[in-house]
Amino acid sequence: MDFGMRLTAMPLHDATRDLILLNQQRLSDVEVNLQLEANNEQLEAMAKDLEVEHSRSDIILKDMLPTQIANQLLNGEHIEPCEYEEATVMFSDIPNFSSILPQTNPKEIVQLLNDLFTRFDRLISFHQVYKVETVGDSYVTVCGIPEFIPQHCEFICHTALGMIWEARSVLDPIAKSPLQIRIGIHSGPLVAGVVGSKMPRYSLFGETVTMASRLETHGLPGKIHCSDRAFKCANETGRFEFQSRGRITIKGKGEMDTYFLLRSNKKSVWEIVHRERDVNLNSIDGYDELESGTEFADVKKENETMRPVKESKTCSIQ
């Protein structure tokens, strides 16, 4: 076609025509091979991208669920609800959150909670604690399930101390002061299992969960409120200082002995939060600042209800 030649112009018994046809076939085969190679490279790139996305999905699932449970789901196994003899559950929230909401822009609320919960997420990764869920300003964690950890209450207590410290780095948008949270901790039996299939969640059920929630709502800003069982369980493996709150009336539970967690004698604040020590602070372990930074709504009233562990008093929380 380039030279205006026709096949009929070539001798029938000459090899020129066959050579031209063979060359055209060769060029066609080369073009097909190049196209196949390009398709193969594209398929390989798509396969790598798919593998990356699959890995990301696995990571997200393992963030949503305990690793052991996530692996079972990835293997196609059915997850049955399990009853655990003992674990430690912790609830935390912002006491004045209801007063912050009407006076703050919704975007600022989202930024506040994101900043706070991001700090908490970083913290729990150091202490083998699993985040169950966040509902509004409530942050729920558990330790000791699905794999039993003898130090489950100790790890939760260390996490709670770190959360009190980390919350101070977030500014209260109304008071323009460091944010204060309240925490409730209880140890005991519970039932846990995966709920849902589209967005599966690892949910907790039982009196232990209810009790931890009640301890939180009956707690004080900047304080870690523990049940008698959590108080005993924490000191089985750890070394902590507690302050007895005496016997208080908890809704639906009656009168109970409860305690405020003050400090750990095993770890400093810096070891708990995994940050370098602030040289501008006076104390070496950081607990003096942790305690002095705590403010109470009614100091005198609470001082009347607090006492040494050996004494006994009763107070009622409405």
Side-chain angles (χ1 to χ4, degrees), residues 94 96-117 136-137 170-174 179:
I94 303 172
N96 62 333
F97 190 68
S98 58
S99 62
I100 293 177
L101 280 176
Q103 305 180 55
T104 309
N105 185 287
K107 289 185 178 180
E108 293 179 352
I109 294 293
V110 174
Q111 293 173 354
L112 169 71
L113 295 178
N114 181 61
D115 187 10
L116 183 65
F117 291 166
D137 63 317
V170 181
L171 191 66
D172 186 323
I174 303 301
L179 194 67

Side-chain angles (χ1 to χ4, degrees), residues 112-154:
L112 169 71
L113 295 178
N114 181 61
D115 187 10
L116 183 65
F117 291 166
T118 299
R119 293 175 182 275
F120 291 171
D121 290 345
R122 171 189 168 276
L123 191 62
I124 65 173
S125 65
F126 299 130
H127 299 283
Q128 301 182 47
V129 174
Y130 171 69
K131 180 175 74 172
V132 180
E133 62 180 352
T134 58
V135 180
D137 63 317
S138 181
Y139 191 93
V140 186
T141 59
V142 66
C143 186
I145 61 171
E147 296 180 356
F148 178 71
I149 302 175
Q151 309 91 339
H152 54 87
C153 193
E154 177 186 349

Side-chain angles (χ1 to χ4, degrees), residues 118-300:
T118 299
R119 293 175 182 275
F120 291 171
D121 290 345
R122 171 189 168 276
L123 191 62
I124 65 173
S125 65
F126 299 130
H127 299 283
Q128 301 182 47
V129 174
Y130 171 69
K131 180 175 74 172
V132 180
E133 62 180 352
T134 58
V135 180
D137 63 317
S138 181
Y139 191 93
V140 186
T141 59
V142 66
C143 186
I145 61 171
E147 296 180 356
F148 178 71
I149 302 175
Q151 309 91 339
H152 54 87
C153 193
E154 177 186 349
F155 290 168
I156 283 284
C157 288
H158 282 145
T159 304
L161 290 167
M163 288 170 65
I164 294 290
W165 184 272
E166 289 291 336
R168 300 240 181 101
S169 300
V170 181
L171 191 66
D172 186 323
I174 303 301
K176 304 301 180 183
S177 60
L179 194 67
Q180 289 191 349
I181 61 172
R182 60 183 177 185
I183 295 176
I185 299 176
H186 181 59
S187 300
L190 54 81
V191 175
V194 177
V195 177
S197 57
K198 189 174 181 64
M199 292 185 63
R201 301 300 302 174
Y202 192 63
S203 300
L204 312 180
F205 305 92
E207 286 298 317
T208 299
V209 181
T210 305
M211 186 62 194
S213 177
R214 295 284 171 81
L215 286 166
E216 174 215 56
T217 56
H218 287 75
L220 298 172
K223 282 292 187 179
I224 303 169
H225 198 199
C226 302
S227 65
D228 182 62
R229 178 56 194 151
F231 163 73
K232 294 176 181 176
C233 187
N235 283 313
E236 288 177 1
T237 60
R239 296 193 303 273
F240 297 94
E241 288 186 20
F242 289 83
Q243 183 179 36
S244 176
R245 195 180 184 183
R247 295 185 64 82
I248 67 170
T249 300
I250 295 181
K251 184 180 179 181
K253 303 296 179 182
E255 291 188 355
M256 302 185 66
D257 289 317
T258 62
Y259 302 83
F260 287 129
L261 173 62
L262 300 181
R263 65 174 65 202
S264 169
N265 292 327
K266 184 183 288 188
K267 289 186 176 182
S268 67
V269 170
W270 319 114
E271 292 174 299
I272 292 174
V273 299
H274 284 247
R275 298 187 187 277
E276 293 184 3
R277 177 178 175 270
D278 189 345
V279 296
N280 296 320
L281 300 181
N282 295 325
S283 66
I284 296 177
D285 56 14
Y287 286 109
D288 289 347
E289 287 74 18
L290 188 70
E291 181 67 21
S292 62
T294 302
E295 298 178 0
F296 304 102
D298 190 349
V299 178
K300 293 183 179 179

